[in-house]
Amino acid sequence: MRELPKVYDPRQVEKKIYDMWLDGGYFHAERDPHKKPFTIVIPPPNVTGQLHLGHAFDETIQDILIRYKRMDGYSALWLPGYDHAGIATQIKVEEKLRNEGKTRFDLGREGFLDEVWAWKNKFGNRIVEQLKTLGSSCDWARQRFTMDDTCAKAVRETFVDLYRKKLIYKGKKIINWCPKCTTALSDAEVEYVDKPGHLWHVRYPLADGSGELIIATTRPETMLGDTGVAVNPADERYKDIVGKKCILPLVGREIPIVADEYVEMDFGTGCVKMTPCHDPNDFEVAQRHNLDFVLMLDEHGRIINGGKYNGMDRYEARKAIVADLEAGGYLVKVEDYAHSVGTCYRCHNDVEPLYSDQWFVKMQPLAKEAIRVVEDGEVKFVPDRFSKTYLNWMYNVRDWCISRQLWWGHRIPAWYCDDCGHVTVSKEDATECEACHSHNIRQDPDVLDTWFSSALWPFSTLGWPEETEDLKYFYPTDVLVTGYDIIFFWVARMIFSACEQTHSIPFHTVLIHGIIRDPQGKKMSKSAGNGVDPVEIIEKYGADALRFNIITGNSPGNDTRFYVERCEAMRNFANKLWNASRFVMMNLTVDEVKLPGELELPDKWVLSKLNTLVKEVRENLDKYELGIAAQKIYDFIWDTFCDWYIELCKARLNGADAKAKEGAERVLLYVLTGILKLLHPFMPFITEEIYQAIPHESEALIIAPYPEYDPALSFPQEEAGFELVMDAIRALRSRRADMGVPPSRKAKVMVCTAEKGIFEAGAQYVQRLASASEVEVLGADYGGDTAGMVAVTTPAARLLMPMAELVDLEAERARLNKELEKAHAQLEAQNRKLANENFVSRAPEAVVNAERERAEKAKALIANLEESLRALG
RNA sequence: GGGAGCAUAGCUCAGCCGGUUAGAGCACUUGCCUUACAAGCAAGGGGUCACUGGUUCGAGUCCAGUUGUUCCCACCA
């Protein structure tokens, strides 16, 4: 046993404890046939990213679950890993190149990839180290990367399998294109933002000169790609001109006027220009009416096929075209108009719908099973409302565009034959065309969406498609923890991928948390500069304080605001526990955790409360109510253990009775040990540090068994009995404070009570905690002279303190009368309830009994108050 | 257009299956360096649980509607 410093310093402890855990190999999950597995795969952070509070939130939840299960006897695997993050990483490396005056094309594909790998190797370890400072108990030996060989194999296997099942196809469609990232995006990767814009009304003259149409558009520049105008077939205004042609202003092209249900008559002018290559709806209308397809934007968002506008950037072109329309007299009017614009989730530039040849996953067939497993409850969302979010998306899911025009990622395993045109899709790198055996083949230059490999994460990380021992033992995984913002990106795709590839759900529970916001409730972001660096917080307050801050005062699925001051409060809590432990150790002479043979009243009280706590915390953890569990442990430690039990023990510890002292020591050590175990998943560092310093049964707290409810340690009667003593102590303190009596001014306390036994057992505690010089326990019927006595009244007792000089008879009487009034009101309320036939007959017995007890208590209080009044004379 | 969340103390939030006198942290007031802890102890002040109606013996909690607010989804040119 060693001396602990007075103030807890996490910096002295956390690194040392983490290394101890690593050295002990405690994070490593063995395939143990005698244990049940419990598996969580980490949502892989971007390999070159930095830890932010969102990660801290996510990882803390997972670490709590893993540590709980590990202590509870499971072979608990928390599998860590990182995502190659195609677009994000490529952007970063290209940025770096730009600063050197280079582009990726200068390096060529191979050279560029070398550069990215170098970048990955340089920064990839940073986030690992940061996760460690949080205390994450990941099985680092099983660390994975979405670009490593195992994951690559899973990607190929899946791609080829889906291709053979015709669930992956290549086709020309309107996709989302980011001109900045110069790649296609999936629907999920587009964020719609309401932006102020304009509605330009433009004249399209009829070709036969018989009139004109007014067309309203938010994007005049796309008229370069117009190949028709559509009206609603039921629109009387345009009945006669359907089938005619009009002339596209500035361009001069004659384009047909068609009738299509898609057009809403009461929006704008009821005429819609058709730009099939740059609008998904127009595309469909064009297909129905055989309109031409004119592509008018290139990969960078510059004009092509647009005559004099060629080469202009899309925004520049808009200005030029509006000006020309106005000059040519085609512009009728301009209205302000706010509409939602799709933006790229990585670079936030406007996304262009673009007609393009891409690879897709056919979603309908896959969605079927993904819907069923959630509808049938095989996969549960916590909180449940997110299953609705998920299902709604899945019901309406559209084909997933998976090809990206990037270099960093899993290259699409498709080879095109220059001789016969056949496409060879193969798990192994193809060397010849599988149709004509020509060697004149080229691999598709594109890579797969990053989320394609993430989708396989729960099983690819365990070795799939190989039937590995790990896969057999740890898969399906158990809980997936993530924010609601990536349900579509990731959760949904893991579910259907697992169902299709492994014929199993990937996990049975999806635990959804919200996002961490700044004190104003705004999203934290780099650009807003309101981010808080968790590493700095850990440095200042400790990882335990950060973890506890994040996890308390917040419920599943809800956003939470981050207050640095709360970290201070949690650091104080850690310090409180530290000092309580110090106190226990200072008084400790026993060297094993073992309860004494004889328990005193407060011992039974605290043990019974601890026992209840154990039961409740387990229930809360099992229901993923981590915040509630944490709050209960906090309350127990601070209030029950520190403010009451430790104080209650001081009398015995300082007393002459050696046996009583030892008894107190043993119970203190037992309860402290229980607390450390309960708290460990939440505050792993400080609890381990203390555990190592006190007598302990396990070599480390991290693998000590989590406490279990023990019926033998439940003492409801003693618990309730001791509460009577505590009531008396509180009442005495309160009265003394009211009268301004300092603690140093001790006074004798006479207890008049029917509960003589309990108060006799509690007398020493009343004496110490209520600043009494001595305590005398008398019967309830004590009728001695009470002149000059201060009377303190609780339902169980009348407490008399001789303090003649402080007694104001009138004030005393008034006070007692006031209390009496309150007690009567209370009793009346109770009696009204109990007199209600409906209540007594319909409410559960326990509730009625509780009400009766309350009435009894009120009656007892009234009797005591009346007695006190009588005694005053 | 569809869907969801939130509205509880000055601030930020808990409050699970409806059942004491609605809780916590921070802030505030008063008194204490009581030999574990002033990052502390004790005692207090502060709430018509957004509004209206309903179900119920009983509603912060369940239902309907209203208002405010946040978010998600959707092909509103």
Side-chain angles (χ1 to χ4, degrees), chain A residues 264 281 337 553 561 563 576 582 638 839 842:
Chain A
E264 280 176 43
N281 298 304
Y337 184 71
R561 297 187 196 197
Y563 290 88
K576 185 75 181 172
R582 235 162 42 88
W638 204 308
F839 172 71
R842 292 189 201 193

mmCIF file of all heavy atoms in Angstrom, chain A residues 264 281 337 553 561 563 576 582 638 839 842, chain B residues 12-13 19 36-37 39 41 44 57 75 77:
data_model
loop_
_atom_site.group_PDB
_atom_site.id
_atom_site.type_symbol
_atom_site.label_atom_id
_atom_site.label_comp_id
_atom_site.label_asym_id
_atom_site.label_seq_id
_atom_site.Cartn_x
_atom_site.Cartn_y
_atom_site.Cartn_z
ATOM 1 N N GLU A 264 -46.055 19.998 -63.700
ATOM 2 C CA GLU A 264 -47.156 20.492 -62.876
ATOM 3 C C GLU A 264 -47.654 21.793 -63.469
ATOM 4 O O GLU A 264 -46.888 22.717 -63.723
ATOM 5 C CB GLU A 264 -46.690 20.693 -61.436
ATOM 6 C CG GLU A 264 -46.647 19.386 -60.677
ATOM 7 C CD GLU A 264 -46.099 19.578 -59.272
ATOM 8 O OE1 GLU A 264 -46.509 20.564 -58.629
ATOM 9 O OE2 GLU A 264 -45.274 18.762 -58.850
ATOM 10 N N ASN A 281 -35.191 14.102 -63.968
ATOM 11 C CA ASN A 281 -36.577 14.066 -64.450
ATOM 12 C C ASN A 281 -36.635 14.292 -65.945
ATOM 13 O O ASN A 281 -37.356 13.608 -66.669
ATOM 14 C CB ASN A 281 -37.415 15.133 -63.754
ATOM 15 C CG ASN A 281 -37.457 14.888 -62.273
ATOM 16 O OD1 ASN A 281 -37.849 13.814 -61.838
ATOM 17 N ND2 ASN A 281 -37.014 15.854 -61.517
ATOM 18 N N TYR A 337 -35.900 33.443 -55.794
ATOM 19 C CA TYR A 337 -36.447 32.108 -55.560
ATOM 20 C C TYR A 337 -35.435 31.256 -54.808
ATOM 21 O O TYR A 337 -34.303 31.060 -55.262
ATOM 22 C CB TYR A 337 -36.779 31.466 -56.906
ATOM 23 C CG TYR A 337 -37.446 30.120 -56.798
ATOM 24 C CD1 TYR A 337 -38.762 30.024 -56.349
ATOM 25 C CD2 TYR A 337 -36.769 28.952 -57.143
ATOM 26 C CE1 TYR A 337 -39.378 28.791 -56.241
ATOM 27 C CE2 TYR A 337 -37.377 27.713 -57.041
ATOM 28 C CZ TYR A 337 -38.676 27.641 -56.601
ATOM 29 O OH TYR A 337 -39.294 26.432 -56.491
ATOM 30 N N GLY A 553 -25.813 12.927 -18.637
ATOM 31 C CA GLY A 553 -26.693 14.022 -19.023
ATOM 32 C C GLY A 553 -27.071 13.985 -20.479
ATOM 33 O O GLY A 553 -27.259 15.000 -21.121
ATOM 34 N N ARG A 561 -24.756 19.157 -26.031
ATOM 35 C CA ARG A 561 -23.837 20.297 -26.129
ATOM 36 C C ARG A 561 -22.654 20.051 -25.224
ATOM 37 O O ARG A 561 -22.791 19.510 -24.142
ATOM 38 C CB ARG A 561 -24.541 21.583 -25.692
ATOM 39 C CG ARG A 561 -25.701 21.913 -26.585
ATOM 40 C CD ARG A 561 -26.287 23.259 -26.251
ATOM 41 N NE ARG A 561 -27.608 23.371 -26.850
ATOM 42 C CZ ARG A 561 -28.242 24.513 -27.030
ATOM 43 N NH1 ARG A 561 -27.692 25.634 -26.639
ATOM 44 N NH2 ARG A 561 -29.435 24.526 -27.574
ATOM 45 N N TYR A 563 -19.819 21.335 -22.867
ATOM 46 C CA TYR A 563 -19.365 22.426 -22.013
ATOM 47 C C TYR A 563 -18.071 22.021 -21.334
ATOM 48 O O TYR A 563 -18.027 21.011 -20.637
ATOM 49 C CB TYR A 563 -20.401 22.739 -20.941
ATOM 50 C CG TYR A 563 -21.640 23.376 -21.483
ATOM 51 C CD1 TYR A 563 -22.702 22.599 -21.927
ATOM 52 C CD2 TYR A 563 -21.733 24.760 -21.580
ATOM 53 C CE1 TYR A 563 -23.831 23.188 -22.445
ATOM 54 C CE2 TYR A 563 -22.856 25.353 -22.097
ATOM 55 C CZ TYR A 563 -23.911 24.561 -22.526
ATOM 56 O OH TYR A 563 -25.025 25.143 -23.048
ATOM 57 N N LYS A 576 -12.838 13.504 -6.057
ATOM 58 C CA LYS A 576 -13.622 13.095 -4.887
ATOM 59 C C LYS A 576 -13.396 11.605 -4.605
ATOM 60 O O LYS A 576 -13.138 11.201 -3.476
ATOM 61 C CB LYS A 576 -15.104 13.362 -5.167
ATOM 62 C CG LYS A 576 -16.023 13.099 -3.999
ATOM 63 C CD LYS A 576 -15.917 14.186 -2.959
ATOM 64 C CE LYS A 576 -16.829 13.900 -1.776
ATOM 65 N NZ LYS A 576 -16.576 14.862 -0.692
ATOM 66 N N ARG A 582 -8.294 7.504 -0.738
ATOM 67 C CA ARG A 582 -7.170 7.838 0.117
ATOM 68 C C ARG A 582 -7.556 7.670 1.587
ATOM 69 O O ARG A 582 -6.819 7.124 2.402
ATOM 70 C CB ARG A 582 -6.765 9.293 -0.130
ATOM 71 C CG ARG A 582 -5.312 9.470 -0.493
ATOM 72 C CD ARG A 582 -5.051 10.805 -1.144
ATOM 73 N NE ARG A 582 -5.743 11.916 -0.518
ATOM 74 C CZ ARG A 582 -5.240 12.633 0.508
ATOM 75 N NH1 ARG A 582 -4.068 12.342 1.012
ATOM 76 N NH2 ARG A 582 -5.915 13.644 0.990
ATOM 77 N N TRP A 638 -20.812 9.882 -4.509
ATOM 78 C CA TRP A 638 -20.683 11.179 -3.856
ATOM 79 C C TRP A 638 -21.592 11.273 -2.629
ATOM 80 O O TRP A 638 -21.162 11.673 -1.540
ATOM 81 C CB TRP A 638 -20.995 12.322 -4.841
ATOM 82 C CG TRP A 638 -20.350 13.611 -4.448
ATOM 83 C CD1 TRP A 638 -20.434 14.212 -3.216
ATOM 84 C CD2 TRP A 638 -19.495 14.445 -5.239
ATOM 85 N NE1 TRP A 638 -19.704 15.362 -3.201
ATOM 86 C CE2 TRP A 638 -19.109 15.538 -4.432
ATOM 87 C CE3 TRP A 638 -19.023 14.394 -6.553
ATOM 88 C CZ2 TRP A 638 -18.274 16.563 -4.889
ATOM 89 C CZ3 TRP A 638 -18.196 15.412 -7.014
ATOM 90 C CH2 TRP A 638 -17.820 16.480 -6.184
ATOM 91 N N PHE A 839 -59.359 4.366 -6.072
ATOM 92 C CA PHE A 839 -57.913 4.268 -5.915
ATOM 93 C C PHE A 839 -57.532 2.982 -5.200
ATOM 94 O O PHE A 839 -56.684 2.218 -5.656
ATOM 95 C CB PHE A 839 -57.372 5.478 -5.143
ATOM 96 C CG PHE A 839 -55.917 5.354 -4.779
ATOM 97 C CD1 PHE A 839 -54.946 5.445 -5.751
ATOM 98 C CD2 PHE A 839 -55.536 5.127 -3.465
ATOM 99 C CE1 PHE A 839 -53.608 5.318 -5.426
ATOM 100 C CE2 PHE A 839 -54.198 4.997 -3.134
ATOM 101 C CZ PHE A 839 -53.234 5.091 -4.123
ATOM 102 N N ARG A 842 -58.324 -0.092 -7.455
ATOM 103 C CA ARG A 842 -57.699 -0.235 -8.770
ATOM 104 C C ARG A 842 -56.183 -0.089 -8.782
ATOM 105 O O ARG A 842 -55.523 -0.664 -9.642
ATOM 106 C CB ARG A 842 -58.280 0.804 -9.734
ATOM 107 C CG ARG A 842 -59.726 0.519 -10.043
ATOM 108 C CD ARG A 842 -60.195 1.403 -11.148
ATOM 109 N NE ARG A 842 -61.658 1.484 -11.096
ATOM 110 C CZ ARG A 842 -62.386 1.982 -12.063
ATOM 111 N NH1 ARG A 842 -61.796 2.463 -13.126
ATOM 112 N NH2 ARG A 842 -63.691 2.013 -11.967
ATOM 113 P P U B 12 -30.154 27.020 -22.342
ATOM 114 O OP1 U B 12 -29.972 27.296 -23.778
ATOM 115 O OP2 U B 12 -31.505 26.843 -21.771
ATOM 116 O "O5'" U B 12 -29.296 25.730 -21.968
ATOM 117 C "C5'" U B 12 -27.986 25.579 -22.508
ATOM 118 C "C4'" U B 12 -27.395 24.277 -22.033
ATOM 119 O "O4'" U B 12 -27.248 24.297 -20.591
ATOM 120 C "C3'" U B 12 -28.256 23.049 -22.284
ATOM 121 O "O3'" U B 12 -28.138 22.602 -23.622
ATOM 122 C "C2'" U B 12 -27.683 22.062 -21.273
ATOM 123 O "O2'" U B 12 -26.461 21.523 -21.724
ATOM 124 C "C1'" U B 12 -27.396 22.978 -20.078
ATOM 125 N N1 U B 12 -28.507 22.966 -19.100
ATOM 126 C C2 U B 12 -28.481 21.977 -18.135
ATOM 127 O O2 U B 12 -27.590 21.159 -18.061
ATOM 128 N N3 U B 12 -29.540 21.999 -17.259
ATOM 129 C C4 U B 12 -30.594 22.885 -17.255
ATOM 130 O O4 U B 12 -31.463 22.784 -16.410
ATOM 131 C C5 U B 12 -30.556 23.876 -18.294
ATOM 132 C C6 U B 12 -29.535 23.876 -19.160
ATOM 133 P P C B 13 -29.266 21.665 -24.238
ATOM 134 O OP1 C B 13 -28.833 21.294 -25.585
ATOM 135 O OP2 C B 13 -30.601 22.270 -24.011
ATOM 136 O "O5'" C B 13 -29.083 20.392 -23.314
ATOM 137 C "C5'" C B 13 -30.144 19.555 -22.984
ATOM 138 C "C4'" C B 13 -29.677 18.680 -21.859
ATOM 139 O "O4'" C B 13 -29.605 19.453 -20.641
ATOM 140 C "C3'" C B 13 -30.612 17.541 -21.519
ATOM 141 O "O3'" C B 13 -30.341 16.454 -22.390
ATOM 142 C "C2'" C B 13 -30.243 17.238 -20.080
ATOM 143 O "O2'" C B 13 -29.074 16.453 -19.999
ATOM 144 C "C1'" C B 13 -29.931 18.636 -19.535
ATOM 145 N N1 C B 13 -31.065 19.253 -18.824
ATOM 146 C C2 C B 13 -31.363 18.815 -17.532
ATOM 147 O O2 C B 13 -30.670 17.916 -17.044
ATOM 148 N N3 C B 13 -32.398 19.370 -16.857
ATOM 149 C C4 C B 13 -33.114 20.338 -17.433
ATOM 150 N N4 C B 13 -34.115 20.860 -16.736
ATOM 151 C C5 C B 13 -32.832 20.800 -18.753
ATOM 152 C C6 C B 13 -31.817 20.234 -19.405
ATOM 153 P P G B 19 -44.792 6.880 -12.835
ATOM 154 O OP1 G B 19 -45.136 8.086 -13.574
ATOM 155 O OP2 G B 19 -43.423 6.613 -12.415
ATOM 156 O "O5'" G B 19 -45.691 6.841 -11.529
ATOM 157 C "C5'" G B 19 -46.279 8.050 -11.068
ATOM 158 C "C4'" G B 19 -46.685 7.871 -9.633
ATOM 159 O "O4'" G B 19 -47.961 7.183 -9.576
ATOM 160 C "C3'" G B 19 -45.697 7.052 -8.830
ATOM 161 O "O3'" G B 19 -45.547 7.623 -7.539
ATOM 162 C "C2'" G B 19 -46.368 5.671 -8.719
ATOM 163 O "O2'" G B 19 -46.055 5.042 -7.511
ATOM 164 C "C1'" G B 19 -47.841 6.031 -8.757
ATOM 165 N N9 G B 19 -48.688 4.982 -9.324
ATOM 166 C C8 G B 19 -48.340 3.886 -10.070
ATOM 167 N N7 G B 19 -49.359 3.156 -10.418
ATOM 168 C C5 G B 19 -50.453 3.819 -9.868
ATOM 169 C C6 G B 19 -51.827 3.522 -9.908
ATOM 170 O O6 G B 19 -52.377 2.569 -10.464
ATOM 171 N N1 G B 19 -52.595 4.449 -9.224
ATOM 172 C C2 G B 19 -52.081 5.550 -8.567
ATOM 173 N N2 G B 19 -52.954 6.337 -7.958
ATOM 174 N N3 G B 19 -50.795 5.850 -8.512
ATOM 175 C C4 G B 19 -50.051 4.944 -9.182
ATOM 176 P P A B 36 -9.803 13.044 7.838
ATOM 177 O OP1 A B 36 -11.224 13.258 8.100
ATOM 178 O OP2 A B 36 -9.038 12.109 8.691
ATOM 179 O "O5'" A B 36 -9.620 12.539 6.335
ATOM 180 C "C5'" A B 36 -8.320 12.340 5.789
ATOM 181 C "C4'" A B 36 -8.391 12.463 4.276
ATOM 182 O "O4'" A B 36 -9.366 11.515 3.768
ATOM 183 C "C3'" A B 36 -8.884 13.821 3.779
ATOM 184 O "O3'" A B 36 -7.795 14.723 3.673
ATOM 185 C "C2'" A B 36 -9.465 13.455 2.408
ATOM 186 O "O2'" A B 36 -8.429 13.269 1.461
ATOM 187 C "C1'" A B 36 -10.088 12.093 2.699
ATOM 188 N N9 A B 36 -11.494 12.187 3.108
ATOM 189 C C8 A B 36 -12.000 12.362 4.355
ATOM 190 N N7 A B 36 -13.306 12.393 4.410
ATOM 191 C C5 A B 36 -13.694 12.222 3.100
ATOM 192 C C6 A B 36 -14.955 12.159 2.475
ATOM 193 N N6 A B 36 -16.110 12.247 3.136
ATOM 194 N N1 A B 36 -14.984 11.974 1.143
ATOM 195 C C2 A B 36 -13.825 11.872 0.488
ATOM 196 N N3 A B 36 -12.572 11.921 0.952
ATOM 197 C C4 A B 36 -12.579 12.086 2.269
ATOM 198 P P C B 37 -8.042 16.289 3.775
ATOM 199 O OP1 C B 37 -6.724 16.941 3.789
ATOM 200 O OP2 C B 37 -9.006 16.533 4.864
ATOM 201 O "O5'" C B 37 -8.757 16.631 2.394
ATOM 202 C "C5'" C B 37 -8.009 16.613 1.180
ATOM 203 C "C4'" C B 37 -8.967 16.694 0.014
ATOM 204 O "O4'" C B 37 -9.934 15.612 0.116
ATOM 205 C "C3'" C B 37 -9.835 17.950 -0.035
ATOM 206 O "O3'" C B 37 -9.133 19.022 -0.641
ATOM 207 C "C2'" C B 37 -11.007 17.484 -0.904
ATOM 208 O "O2'" C B 37 -10.672 17.485 -2.266
ATOM 209 C "C1'" C B 37 -11.171 16.030 -0.437
ATOM 210 N N1 C B 37 -12.229 15.888 0.580
ATOM 211 C C2 C B 37 -13.534 15.609 0.135
ATOM 212 O O2 C B 37 -13.736 15.496 -1.074
ATOM 213 N N3 C B 37 -14.524 15.487 1.044
ATOM 214 C C4 C B 37 -14.266 15.628 2.338
ATOM 215 N N4 C B 37 -15.276 15.501 3.196
ATOM 216 C C5 C B 37 -12.951 15.912 2.822
ATOM 217 C C6 C B 37 -11.965 16.036 1.906
ATOM 218 P P A B 39 -10.290 24.459 -4.675
ATOM 219 O OP1 A B 39 -8.934 23.944 -4.382
ATOM 220 O OP2 A B 39 -10.461 25.717 -5.430
ATOM 221 O "O5'" A B 39 -11.149 23.324 -5.409
ATOM 222 C "C5'" A B 39 -12.328 23.668 -6.199
ATOM 223 C "C4'" A B 39 -13.005 22.383 -6.543
ATOM 224 O "O4'" A B 39 -12.234 21.774 -7.588
ATOM 225 C "C3'" A B 39 -12.996 21.445 -5.341
ATOM 226 O "O3'" A B 39 -14.246 21.151 -4.736
ATOM 227 C "C2'" A B 39 -11.940 20.342 -5.683
ATOM 228 O "O2'" A B 39 -12.396 19.069 -5.384
ATOM 229 C "C1'" A B 39 -11.667 20.551 -7.171
ATOM 230 N N9 A B 39 -10.236 20.558 -7.466
ATOM 231 C C8 A B 39 -9.270 21.414 -7.007
ATOM 232 N N7 A B 39 -8.071 21.185 -7.482
ATOM 233 C C5 A B 39 -8.260 20.090 -8.330
ATOM 234 C C6 A B 39 -7.365 19.373 -9.128
ATOM 235 N N6 A B 39 -6.068 19.641 -9.238
ATOM 236 N N1 A B 39 -7.887 18.343 -9.845
ATOM 237 C C2 A B 39 -9.176 18.082 -9.762
ATOM 238 N N3 A B 39 -10.119 18.698 -9.027
ATOM 239 C C4 A B 39 -9.585 19.709 -8.330
ATOM 240 P P C B 41 -18.428 17.770 -0.983
ATOM 241 O OP1 C B 41 -18.889 16.384 -1.142
ATOM 242 O OP2 C B 41 -18.968 18.842 -1.843
ATOM 243 O "O5'" C B 41 -18.626 18.213 0.525
ATOM 244 C "C5'" C B 41 -18.219 17.354 1.579
ATOM 245 C "C4'" C B 41 -18.580 17.968 2.895
ATOM 246 O "O4'" C B 41 -17.831 19.195 3.068
ATOM 247 C "C3'" C B 41 -20.029 18.415 3.030
ATOM 248 O "O3'" C B 41 -20.895 17.329 3.310
ATOM 249 C "C2'" C B 41 -19.922 19.403 4.188
ATOM 250 O "O2'" C B 41 -19.745 18.731 5.415
ATOM 251 C "C1'" C B 41 -18.608 20.108 3.830
ATOM 252 N N1 C B 41 -18.849 21.323 3.015
ATOM 253 C C2 C B 41 -19.261 22.490 3.674
ATOM 254 O O2 C B 41 -19.415 22.447 4.900
ATOM 255 N N3 C B 41 -19.494 23.611 2.957
ATOM 256 C C4 C B 41 -19.320 23.598 1.635
ATOM 257 N N4 C B 41 -19.556 24.736 0.981
ATOM 258 C C5 C B 41 -18.910 22.425 0.940
ATOM 259 C C6 C B 41 -18.692 21.311 1.664
ATOM 260 P P G B 44 -32.252 22.362 4.628
ATOM 261 O OP1 G B 44 -33.527 22.550 5.364
ATOM 262 O OP2 G B 44 -32.003 21.142 3.855
ATOM 263 O "O5'" G B 44 -31.978 23.619 3.700
ATOM 264 C "C5'" G B 44 -33.039 24.264 3.079
ATOM 265 C "C4'" G B 44 -32.699 25.719 2.851
ATOM 266 O "O4'" G B 44 -31.271 25.884 2.674
ATOM 267 C "C3'" G B 44 -33.296 26.266 1.581
ATOM 268 O "O3'" G B 44 -34.643 26.644 1.792
ATOM 269 C "C2'" G B 44 -32.386 27.453 1.275
ATOM 270 O "O2'" G B 44 -32.722 28.566 2.069
ATOM 271 C "C1'" G B 44 -31.020 26.901 1.721
ATOM 272 N N9 G B 44 -30.248 26.321 0.617
ATOM 273 C C8 G B 44 -29.840 25.014 0.514
ATOM 274 N N7 G B 44 -29.149 24.767 -0.569
ATOM 275 C C5 G B 44 -29.106 25.993 -1.221
ATOM 276 C C6 G B 44 -28.492 26.351 -2.450
ATOM 277 O O6 G B 44 -27.847 25.641 -3.215
ATOM 278 N N1 G B 44 -28.702 27.694 -2.748
ATOM 279 C C2 G B 44 -29.395 28.579 -1.970
ATOM 280 N N2 G B 44 -29.486 29.826 -2.424
ATOM 281 N N3 G B 44 -29.966 28.256 -0.822
ATOM 282 C C4 G B 44 -29.777 26.961 -0.506
ATOM 283 P P C B 57 -60.881 5.149 -13.699
ATOM 284 O OP1 C B 57 -61.265 3.810 -13.198
ATOM 285 O OP2 C B 57 -61.862 6.009 -14.394
ATOM 286 O "O5'" C B 57 -60.258 5.985 -12.492
ATOM 287 C "C5'" C B 57 -61.137 6.605 -11.539
ATOM 288 C "C4'" C B 57 -60.319 7.107 -10.382
ATOM 289 O "O4'" C B 57 -59.751 5.975 -9.658
ATOM 290 C "C3'" C B 57 -59.110 7.943 -10.753
ATOM 291 O "O3'" C B 57 -59.473 9.298 -10.955
ATOM 292 C "C2'" C B 57 -58.202 7.768 -9.553
ATOM 293 O "O2'" C B 57 -58.603 8.570 -8.465
ATOM 294 C "C1'" C B 57 -58.459 6.297 -9.192
ATOM 295 N N1 C B 57 -57.491 5.378 -9.826
ATOM 296 C C2 C B 57 -56.172 5.342 -9.344
ATOM 297 O O2 C B 57 -55.844 6.104 -8.433
ATOM 298 N N3 C B 57 -55.292 4.496 -9.905
ATOM 299 C C4 C B 57 -55.682 3.691 -10.900
ATOM 300 N N4 C B 57 -54.774 2.875 -11.415
ATOM 301 C C5 C B 57 -57.014 3.710 -11.404
ATOM 302 C C6 C B 57 -57.881 4.557 -10.839
ATOM 303 P P C B 75 -35.341 12.836 -54.993
ATOM 304 O OP1 C B 75 -35.144 11.910 -56.123
ATOM 305 O OP2 C B 75 -34.247 13.130 -54.048
ATOM 306 O "O5'" C B 75 -35.853 14.218 -55.530
ATOM 307 C "C5'" C B 75 -35.025 14.947 -56.416
ATOM 308 C "C4'" C B 75 -35.812 15.406 -57.611
ATOM 309 O "O4'" C B 75 -36.244 14.255 -58.385
ATOM 310 C "C3'" C B 75 -37.117 16.109 -57.270
ATOM 311 O "O3'" C B 75 -36.874 17.473 -57.017
ATOM 312 C "C2'" C B 75 -37.949 15.891 -58.523
ATOM 313 O "O2'" C B 75 -37.599 16.801 -59.522
ATOM 314 C "C1'" C B 75 -37.521 14.488 -58.957
ATOM 315 N N1 C B 75 -38.438 13.409 -58.529
ATOM 316 C C2 C B 75 -39.702 13.325 -59.119
ATOM 317 O O2 C B 75 -40.029 14.174 -59.947
ATOM 318 N N3 C B 75 -40.519 12.333 -58.755
ATOM 319 C C4 C B 75 -40.133 11.430 -57.839
ATOM 320 N N4 C B 75 -40.985 10.462 -57.515
ATOM 321 C C5 C B 75 -38.858 11.490 -57.234
ATOM 322 C C6 C B 75 -38.045 12.484 -57.602
ATOM 323 P P A B 77 -37.318 23.753 -58.179
ATOM 324 O OP1 A B 77 -36.257 23.145 -57.443
ATOM 325 O OP2 A B 77 -38.241 24.629 -57.473
ATOM 326 O "O5'" A B 77 -36.649 24.547 -59.367
ATOM 327 C "C5'" A B 77 -37.466 24.941 -60.417
ATOM 328 C "C4'" A B 77 -37.216 23.972 -61.513
ATOM 329 O "O4'" A B 77 -38.441 23.311 -61.785
ATOM 330 C "C3'" A B 77 -36.741 24.667 -62.761
ATOM 331 O "O3'" A B 77 -35.344 24.347 -62.917
ATOM 332 C "C2'" A B 77 -37.589 24.108 -63.864
ATOM 333 O "O2'" A B 77 -36.830 23.378 -64.756
ATOM 334 C "C1'" A B 77 -38.596 23.171 -63.169
ATOM 335 N N9 A B 77 -39.959 23.514 -63.563
ATOM 336 C C8 A B 77 -40.377 24.560 -64.325
ATOM 337 N N7 A B 77 -41.672 24.590 -64.555
ATOM 338 C C5 A B 77 -42.138 23.475 -63.883
ATOM 339 C C6 A B 77 -43.420 22.947 -63.744
ATOM 340 N N6 A B 77 -44.504 23.502 -64.286
ATOM 341 N N1 A B 77 -43.558 21.826 -63.002
ATOM 342 C C2 A B 77 -42.463 21.277 -62.464
ATOM 343 N N3 A B 77 -41.190 21.686 -62.530
ATOM 344 C C4 A B 77 -41.098 22.804 -63.264
#
